[in-house]
Amino acid sequence: MRALCFGIAVGLALPAADGATGAARAAQESPSREQDDLRQTVLDLKRRVAAVPRDRDAQVRLAEALLALLQGSDAEAALDAALAAGAARQDVLLPLMRAWLQQRRFEHLLATSRPMPFDDPERHAQWVALRGIAELRRGDDAAARVAFQEALALIPKQIDALLGSAELALGHGDTEAAHALLEAATRSHPQSAAAWEQLADLDYRLGDLRAAERSLAMAVISAPNPWIPRLKRALVRMDLGELASASAELERIEAAWPNFPALHLARGILQLAEGELRGVAERLGK
């Protein structure tokens, strides 16, 4: 049951892309405050664009904050408004691609992201890698592999290509290669919550619960939306028998987001585990 809930939490996460923006990358041991800051930023920027709808810079900043909060549809709307206000296509295309990935609009991304408008290798590599993720998600592993290889040839540590390559390797059963790629991603991009979370997912799958817990701790620190890694960490702690710590984690999630997906299932799993321990204690006391 815990594995099922953990799988649901994995499914809530982003497609294999590090959707973090500049606002999301301040790695502090206070992620709830960071998320509150992002929400306040969104409110402030919404007021700004309501007052000055053609402020394309504010629209782009609003979209970046919305992406960090996993609100891809609203981010796309802000980027469309920036384009209408005169923003250059090359200034909004990469965040638009991330918004389409968040919405799982893979065919749309592949159809509309051409031609490639970037001269600099870094943005070129991002563009190729994000297209590779769309190819992976639509089931074309061969096209995804070519895209990730191209992106890594341009920028050897390109984060989206590393994460996508790890997912591709895992899909073909090569857990060793996937693990090596994810470790490389966390070394080269220690601020990437997505990298830490994918590494934790794989360690959990391999049964290395302590390693999964350590990676989830890093994901919680790094993520602007820390609630999915927190839920996973609570489930890992249940598997470790640390029920009080798991309960505290779930209480923190519930206080911030009472209707968080899978929270009630996790609560039920915790109650079952607590009941099992009480039953064992009662039997030992007889």
Side-chain angles (χ1 to χ4, degrees):
M1 182 68 75
R2 281 190 286 274
L4 171 62
C5 192
F6 197 93
I8 292 171
V10 171
L12 294 172
L14 283 174
D18 181 356
T21 61
R25 288 177 170 163
Q28 305 170 22
E29 186 56 79
S30 55
S32 59
R33 184 180 67 190
E34 185 178 347
Q35 188 184 47
D36 289 342
D37 290 345
L38 272 173
R39 287 173 171 164
Q40 186 60 51
T41 296
V42 167
L43 291 174
D44 292 343
L45 286 169
K46 283 184 174 179
R47 293 189 191 101
R48 172 64 182 172
V49 299
V52 189
R54 295 192 64 81
D55 186 341
R56 56 181 180 265
D57 292 337
Q59 294 281 12
V60 172
R61 294 199 307 274
L62 173 59
E64 289 178 343
L66 289 166
L67 283 173
L69 291 171
L70 309 185
Q71 297 177 23
S73 179
D74 290 342
E76 181 182 4
L79 292 165
D80 286 343
L83 282 169
R89 178 174 179 270
Q90 64 265 26
D91 292 335
V92 301
L93 181 56
L94 291 174
L96 260 177
M97 292 171 75
R98 294 189 186 279
W100 293 330
L101 283 175
Q102 285 191 9
Q103 298 173 78
R104 303 182 182 275
R105 297 176 64 194
F106 310 125
E107 299 286 352
H108 181 78
L109 183 155
L110 293 167
T112 57
S113 58
R114 289 188 181 276
M116 198 284 293
F118 305 116
D119 294 326
D120 60 292
E122 185 171 343
R123 290 196 295 174
H124 184 177
Q126 285 185 56
W127 180 86
V128 174
L130 294 177
R131 286 182 61 85
I133 290 165
E135 295 283 17
L136 180 62
R137 290 299 184 179
R138 69 194 283 266
D140 193 336
D141 288 5
R145 181 176 290 105
V146 169
F148 297 147
Q149 289 171 348
E150 181 182 346
L152 292 170
L154 287 163
I155 302 292
K157 296 178 181 179
Q158 208 287 323
I159 183 63
D160 302 298
L162 287 173
L163 298 184
S165 297
E167 185 174 346
L168 182 60
L170 191 57
H172 287 267
D174 193 343
T175 56
E176 185 176 345
H179 205 276
L181 285 161
L182 292 171
E183 287 186 326
T186 58
R187 284 195 303 270
S188 57
H189 300 274
Q191 81 288 353
S192 171
W196 288 111
E197 196 170 343
Q198 281 187 237
L199 181 58
D201 293 346
L202 181 52
D203 280 328
Y204 184 87
R205 175 174 170 172
L206 295 173
D208 192 342
L209 300 181
R210 286 299 180 193
E213 184 184 30
R214 289 192 297 270
S215 292
L216 288 169
M218 294 301 297
V220 167
I221 291 169
S222 305
N225 250 336
W227 311 116
I228 293 172
R230 281 194 178 280
L231 178 65
K232 291 179 182 179
R233 186 163 67 175
L235 294 165
V236 169
R237 287 174 173 173
M238 290 182 213
D239 278 331
L240 290 167
E242 299 171 0
L243 302 188
S245 179
S247 179
E249 195 81 87
L250 295 179
E251 287 172 4
R252 187 164 185 177
I253 297 170
E254 189 170 20
W257 193 345
N259 295 317
F260 184 79
L263 175 62
H264 297 300
L265 176 58
R267 277 281 188 203
I269 293 168
L270 176 63
Q271 289 170 357
L272 281 173
E274 289 172 336
E276 289 169 4
L277 282 184
R278 282 196 294 270
V280 170
E282 289 171 1
R283 286 192 295 274
L284 289 174
K286 289 182 178 179

